[in-house]
Amino acid sequence: MSTGRLEAFSDGVIAILITIMILELKVPHGADLAALRPVLPVFLTYVLSYVFLGIYWSNHHHLLHATKRVTGGVLWANLHLLFWLSLVPFVTAWMGENKFHPVPTAIFGVVMLLAAIAYYILVRAILAGEGASSELAAAVGTDTKGRISPVLYALAIPLSFVRSWIALGIYVFVALMWLVPDRRIESRLRGR
Amino acid sequence: MSTGRLEAFSDGVIAILITIMILELKVPHGADLAALRPVLPVFLTYVLSYVFLGIYWSNHHHLLHATKRVTGGVLWANLHLLFWLSLVPFVTAWMGENKFHPVPTAIFGVVMLLAAIAYYILVRAILAGEGASSELAAAVGTDTKGRISPVLYALAIPLSFVRSWIALGIYVFVALMWLVPDRRIESRLRGR
Amino acid sequence: MSTGRLEAFSDGVIAILITIMILELKVPHGADLAALRPVLPVFLTYVLSYVFLGIYWSNHHHLLHATKRVTGGVLWANLHLLFWLSLVPFVTAWMGENKFHPVPTAIFGVVMLLAAIAYYILVRAILAGEGASSELAAAVGTDTKGRISPVLYALAIPLSFVRSWIALGIYVFVALMWLVPDRRIESRLRGR
Amino acid sequence: MSTGRLEAFSDGVIAILITIMILELKVPHGADLAALRPVLPVFLTYVLSYVFLGIYWSNHHHLLHATKRVTGGVLWANLHLLFWLSLVPFVTAWMGENKFHPVPTAIFGVVMLLAAIAYYILVRAILAGEGASSELAAAVGTDTKGRISPVLYALAIPLSFVRSWIALGIYVFVALMWLVPDRRIESRLRGR
């Protein structure tokens, strides 16, 4: 069973999520620049979430490229990941519209943490099918970024209630850390 | 005529349905946890419908994987299935917003029943093209879950008017029953 | 230049159109069956438009299956067709919400007529690339349904102002006429 | 790493953007032709933006068709382009609803300018992977239209504040200029 349809479906869902977030950018009533000001915090969280979804798409792309067998378990692990990603527009809008109030900022972290865990489960499900001696197993062996991210999210959640900008700073840091694309798997594969 | 484009189109529709349901999750006005409370029943029905659509996608994936010929009849049987699935976000939102009132809960069951029947018709349309002696015919021969599900939906519809949580319990039971992935076709194919 | 990406893009647009129409089905406020009554005319026009978009997808599927070369002209003829199809949810909602008032019913016919003309232009653009002696040219040679449809739409537009149900009857008739799938191209190709 | 999934994802995003714009076409309350009048300026901007997105899709199609290697840099350059394109429905609706007021008309130009720059960066990122001696390098060598467009957008932005119809005229001119499809790459490739 090939990865083709799994990729196509995941692409579809992530493409829709990225574009649905714009619907939250409600067209301002006024026509001057001042009318754009209340849109700005929502816009900035949109940029952040766009980058996060872009990172997931990019890593997902590399991961499935190195996958050869799709089992029923992989299929559901993938649907599980997409579930948490599908909540990103909701928490993004909630956080942006409430000017980074502690509760929505913490909930944003919770969804990001659960998405990171779901990605980890997907990697394990694929490895269970591919075998521990596979190329992919070697490639993800030293997945430092994948291990640090959930720890950072777990830190950000309580810190939202101290100062919400600390949590936000952590989210931005994680995004920047990942923006350096996932060369691990890529370079391994190229080394063939 | 290959199954490629039929899969791509079905993937597109199901991916959109899954993500459109989130639009029903209206961003709460308040910023505290209490503001999330009215969202909760809608969220839980969203989880249920996400699982149902995931099950259909997964089974559809396995079914078309075992299909070799796409006739005009298969094409329309597939559009017919997608029609009932496309009503899932509507009935999900209606049921969730009315806190599982009997009527929307029963209508949810009606749409699920019609989707199950449409799936059955699709399987028959494919078998008509593939031939009764085909691999697929053998694989779906003992489709116990596919036969029990419509019976359970048909039971849930009148029971919604007795106690709507009984109907809801039946829906959750059907979902859990299917979450064990459709290994029948998968294992047959792997046995090749 | 292969037809793959043209198909994928068209599939995406039509899949979205079909599912976006449901967003027009606003969830009723009440929870009883009476609350569904005002939704009914919108629902019925949704069914009609779903069938129309399904017909276009099905015919488009067969048409591109018989196409070998995609020129710049074909690409834009396809975008032109998708433009008119993308107005279908808008005119569908307008007609349904106004209980088949003459003006929206006529405008629905105008959009269907322009879509039919756009499809005709697409067929010509493909034939210009494939050559008059091609298989496709022979297959579409006797395209009776494709010639009758625009005439019927052109009739329905003025008749909307006499009795809107006459126009509606014509739309339903055209849909039923096409529901018999486009076996012309299919059978030609199978005859190879 | 092939271009397949990059194309599929980009197709998905652009297909959704094109169709999401219709959601901005709010169904008028009245049922007569006069009710369509306030929809008209929004409709015309929708046509303009549809053509712009169609142009990007068409050029993107030709560009990736000539691409052989997808690096991490290309992947993010593509996501960057899609980001600016994803703002098109927002600025289109804002401009249309405010009857081409100077500020939204200028902001429309800003988004178009940034999209044009993002497309230029994508071309460079692909060329960096393909090599300066590649076929693609020769094909885009004399990309006159690609160089004029950003200059015209940069002109239109300040001119919006003089007379917004001048800016609008420039946008329409750029669209018409590009509607002549990008035969450069196409003809080069055909010449093989």
Side-chain angles (χ1 to χ4, degrees), chain B residues 45-67:
Chain B
T45 45
Y46 167 54
V47 174
L48 183 66
S49 295
Y50 185 93
V51 170
F52 270 120
L53 288 172
I55 288 163
Y56 271 103
W57 179 73
S58 167
N59 288 345
H60 192 264
H61 177 93
H62 287 101
L63 180 67
L64 281 180
H65 192 73
T67 303

Side-chain angles (χ1 to χ4, degrees), chain A residues 2 13 16 22 32 36 38 40 47 52 69 81 85 113-114 119 150 154 161 164 170 189 192:
Chain A
S2 78
V13 170
I16 296 159
I22 324 162
D32 48 356
L36 278 184
L40 204 71
V47 174
F52 269 120
R69 270 186 68 213
L81 170 63
L85 293 184
L113 176 61
L114 290 167
Y119 188 79
F161 296 97
S164 64
I170 293 174
L189 287 173
R192 281 192 287 202

Side-chain angles (χ1 to χ4, degrees), chain C residues 95-117:
Chain C
M95 185 168 73
E97 281 178 18
N98 288 291
K99 297 166 187 172
F100 310 104
H101 187 280
V103 175
T105 309
I107 297 287
F108 183 88
V110 170
V111 168
M112 293 316 291
L113 176 61
L114 291 166
I117 291 170

Side-chain angles (χ1 to χ4, degrees), chain B residues 4-155:
Chain B
R5 201 172 167 188
L6 199 69
E7 289 178 335
F9 185 73
S10 309
D11 281 1
V13 171
I14 300 176
I16 296 159
L17 290 176
I18 270 180
T19 39
I20 268 182
M21 279 195 302
I22 324 163
L23 286 175
E24 306 298 335
L25 283 181
K26 274 145 206 148
V27 175
H29 287 296
D32 47 356
L33 279 173
L36 278 184
R37 206 171 302 157
V39 179
L40 205 70
V42 185
F43 179 73
L44 289 179
T45 45
Y46 167 54
V47 174
L48 183 66
S49 295
Y50 185 93
V51 170
F52 270 120
L53 288 172
I55 288 163
Y56 271 103
W57 179 73
S58 167
N59 288 345
H60 192 264
H61 177 93
H62 287 101
L63 180 67
L64 281 180
H65 192 73
T67 303
K68 279 171 202 79
R69 269 187 69 212
V70 175
T71 62
V74 169
L75 215 138
W76 279 100
N78 192 56
L79 277 170
H80 178 233
L81 170 62
L82 293 178
F83 178 79
W84 294 113
L85 294 184
S86 80
L87 288 177
V88 169
F90 176 77
V91 289
T92 300
W94 199 32
M95 185 168 74
E97 281 179 19
N98 288 291
K99 297 165 187 174
F100 310 105
H101 188 280
V103 175
T105 308
I107 297 286
F108 184 88
V110 169
V111 168
M112 294 315 291
L113 176 61
L114 290 166
I117 291 170
Y119 188 80
Y120 179 83
I121 293 172
L122 175 62
V123 172
R124 293 301 126 186
I126 290 175
L127 284 180
E130 303 280 312
S133 61
S134 70
E135 228 175 316
L136 186 67
V140 298
T142 55
D143 184 358
T144 323
K145 284 195 280 190
R147 280 176 197 176
I148 295 175
S149 303
V151 175
L152 288 174
Y153 293 136
L155 270 171

Side-chain angles (χ1 to χ4, degrees), chain D residues 135-156:
Chain D
E135 225 175 318
L136 186 67
V140 299
T142 56
D143 184 358
T144 323
K145 285 194 281 189
R147 278 174 199 177
I148 295 175
S149 305
V151 175
L152 288 174
Y153 292 136
L155 271 171

